[in-house]
Amino acid sequence: MKRIFSGIKPTGHLTLGNHLGALRGWVETDQHQADALFSVVDLHALTVEHDPGRVRRLSRQAATLMLAAGLDPELCTIFVQSHVNEHARLAYILECTATDGEMRRMVQYKEKSVRARAAGQSVRLSLLTYPALMAADILAYGADEVPVGEDQTQHVELTRDLAVRFNQRYGHTFTVPRAMRPPVAARVMDLQDPTSKMGKSHDSGAGIIYLLDEADVVRRKIMRAVTDSGSDVEYDPPSRPGIANLLEILAACTGRDPKELADAYTSYGALKKDTAEAVLELLRPIRERHAELAADQGHVDEVLRTGAERARGMARPTVDAAYRAIGLLPAE
């Protein structure tokens, strides 16, 4: 059976984009067809200014929402990244395999470092080097496939390059993974800025649908979504990004094709109304299950403990092999 790894970073409350672009695929497909590991990658949240207490709260909330969305610990491994030391152990080995130029070409480093400087903040070294940690997340488990959105494809390509380079220099140690992308709504855009991704950590949440938003909040955000000039409903992402985003969201919620959906509407208002109702129907069972799990955190903690133990058992042989291959003296 193929093995897959993917993770969610606890830098903000999980969004509709997280669900349509990642969580739903994990639940409906990946945990049934693969030896799957899903992690709250909390170490990645430390690359920028953050509040420690908020990171802990968001990590727990993310794990709870992963379960609420339908991940089954009997079918897959669910854990918190920092609970498995092998991630950090392997990250340094991969930093010693990567080059400075490779790290500086990462789009997210360029974007986030500019924002940090503009805010008068220092740029942490970990923001530059964290793609090596992301590669360690994947390579430690011998993952064959990595379900990712469009914005993370570059990091999987770097992971592949590092795996190949390490194998060529030090002997075959790592499986070379490949990226997988869902066919629709892989990158849900901000409702107020449809040229930007619907991100967890934006300063304003007006264009972001959070998984735990109340129903009236979801309706209001979608009804106020930015549209485009003109009145015809057409699916044309380059020139009509606002309408295309709504059509892609509706398509992802209903399992239909966005181009076909466009032909069924003659007004923006009707499209927004149907999109809002489809999103609410999609999120309702997740919100209800989350409330149940939040009232039983002992169960969530046990799932994470068991998941971390299982993940350590999977990762340790590979990481130990990488230490030996690169020339480190065994501890025993």
Side-chain angles (χ1 to χ4, degrees), residues 162-208:
L162 295 180
V164 169
R165 186 179 307 152
F166 190 98
N167 289 346
Q168 290 174 342
R169 288 179 179 175
Y170 308 114
H172 184 79
T173 306
F174 298 122
T175 298
V176 180
R178 58 186 177 273
M180 296 189 312
R181 288 186 55 200
V184 70
R187 196 177 192 195
V188 178
M189 312 306 279
D190 190 290
L191 295 172
Q192 291 299 312
D193 179 11
T195 63
S196 299
K197 178 185 173 183
M198 184 182 285
K200 298 189 297 294
S201 52
H202 288 189
D203 292 335
S204 171
I208 304 171

Side-chain angles (χ1 to χ4, degrees), residues 2-220:
K2 67 183 179 184
R3 179 171 290 176
I4 67 171
F5 174 92
S6 198
I8 285 181
K9 184 165 56 174
T11 50
H13 300 287
L14 298 191
T15 71
L16 177 67
N18 295 128
H19 183 63
L20 293 180
L23 272 175
R24 188 169 67 169
W26 298 356
V27 169
E28 295 180 353
T29 303
D30 298 333
Q31 67 174 342
H32 300 286
Q33 297 183 358
D35 182 7
L37 298 103
F38 302 114
S39 180
V40 179
V41 287
D42 53 345
L43 294 175
H44 291 292
L46 310 184
T47 60
V48 295
E49 292 293 329
H50 63 277
D51 173 70
R54 186 169 187 265
V55 170
R56 282 191 290 270
R57 290 192 299 273
L58 290 175
S59 295
R60 181 179 293 278
Q61 184 186 87
T64 306
L65 279 168
M66 288 161 69
L67 293 169
L71 286 182
D72 184 348
E74 297 297 321
L75 298 176
C76 64
T77 303
I78 305 165
F79 66 102
V80 175
Q81 179 192 34
S82 64
H83 295 176
V84 180
N85 293 336
E86 279 64 31
H87 291 256
R89 288 180 63 208
L90 184 55
Y92 182 73
I93 298 301
L94 295 177
E95 286 180 17
C96 296
T97 308
T99 67
D100 175 75
E102 286 174 318
M103 295 297 176
R104 294 188 185 278
R105 284 195 294 271
M106 295 292 105
V107 172
Q108 290 206 17
Y109 170 72
K110 294 178 181 178
E111 294 176 349
K112 291 182 179 180
S113 61
V114 168
R115 288 202 297 268
R117 292 188 182 100
Q121 300 171 351
S122 59
V123 179
R124 300 185 181 195
L125 179 61
S126 56
L127 184 61
L128 176 65
T129 61
Y130 90 91
L133 175 59
M134 182 177 290
D137 297 338
I138 298 165
L139 297 180
Y141 298 102
D144 302 290
E145 296 180 349
V146 187
V148 291
E150 180 183 358
D151 59 323
Q152 294 294 338
T153 302
Q154 185 186 33
H155 289 121
V156 179
E157 289 304 312
L158 174 64
T159 300
R160 290 172 55 84
D161 291 342
L162 295 180
V164 169
R165 186 179 307 152
F166 190 98
N167 289 346
Q168 290 174 342
R169 288 179 179 175
Y170 308 114
H172 184 79
T173 306
F174 298 122
T175 298
V176 180
R178 58 186 177 273
M180 296 189 312
R181 288 186 55 200
V184 70
R187 196 177 192 195
V188 178
M189 312 306 279
D190 190 290
L191 295 172
Q192 291 299 312
D193 179 11
T195 63
S196 299
K197 178 185 173 183
M198 184 182 285
K200 298 189 297 294
S201 52
H202 288 189
D203 292 335
S204 171
I208 304 171
I209 297 174
Y210 298 106
L211 297 187
L212 296 179
D213 274 345
E214 296 291 340
D216 60 337
V217 174
V218 172
R219 286 195 185 91
R220 183 167 63 249

Side-chain angles (χ1 to χ4, degrees), residues 164-329:
V164 169
R165 186 179 307 152
F166 190 98
N167 289 346
Q168 290 174 342
R169 288 179 179 175
Y170 308 114
H172 184 79
T173 306
F174 298 122
T175 298
V176 180
R178 58 186 177 273
M180 296 189 312
R181 288 186 55 200
V184 70
R187 196 177 192 195
V188 178
M189 312 306 279
D190 190 290
L191 295 172
Q192 291 299 312
D193 179 11
T195 63
S196 299
K197 178 185 173 183
M198 184 182 285
K200 298 189 297 294
S201 52
H202 288 189
D203 292 335
S204 171
I208 304 171
I209 297 174
Y210 298 106
L211 297 187
L212 296 179
D213 274 345
E214 296 291 340
D216 60 337
V217 174
V218 172
R219 286 195 185 91
R220 183 167 63 249
K221 288 179 178 180
I222 293 177
M223 296 306 294
R224 293 178 179 177
V226 168
T227 50
D228 313 294
S229 59
S231 58
D232 294 336
V233 179
E234 298 179 57
Y235 181 67
D236 185 359
S239 61
R240 310 287 293 278
I243 290 300
N245 189 38
L246 290 170
L247 286 168
E248 289 193 353
I249 292 172
L250 180 57
C253 290
T254 60
R256 298 178 63 186
D257 181 86
K259 292 181 181 179
E260 294 178 0
L261 284 169
D263 296 335
Y265 291 94
T266 58
S267 72
Y268 292 169
L271 172 61
K272 288 181 174 180
K273 181 176 182 296
D274 285 356
T275 302
E277 293 308 314
V279 169
L280 287 172
E281 183 61 24
L282 182 75
L283 298 186
R284 177 184 51 77
I286 297 175
R287 293 180 66 250
E288 292 175 354
R289 180 58 177 152
H290 176 270
E292 296 172 358
L293 290 166
D296 185 11
Q297 282 300 318
H299 171 69
V300 177
D301 291 342
E302 181 58 30
V303 168
L304 295 177
R305 277 194 297 270
T306 302
E309 290 173 4
R310 190 185 306 161
R312 281 192 292 270
M314 294 182 192
R316 187 165 297 150
T318 299
V319 177
D320 286 348
Y323 269 53
R324 291 193 299 270
I326 204 169
L328 298 178
L329 191 66

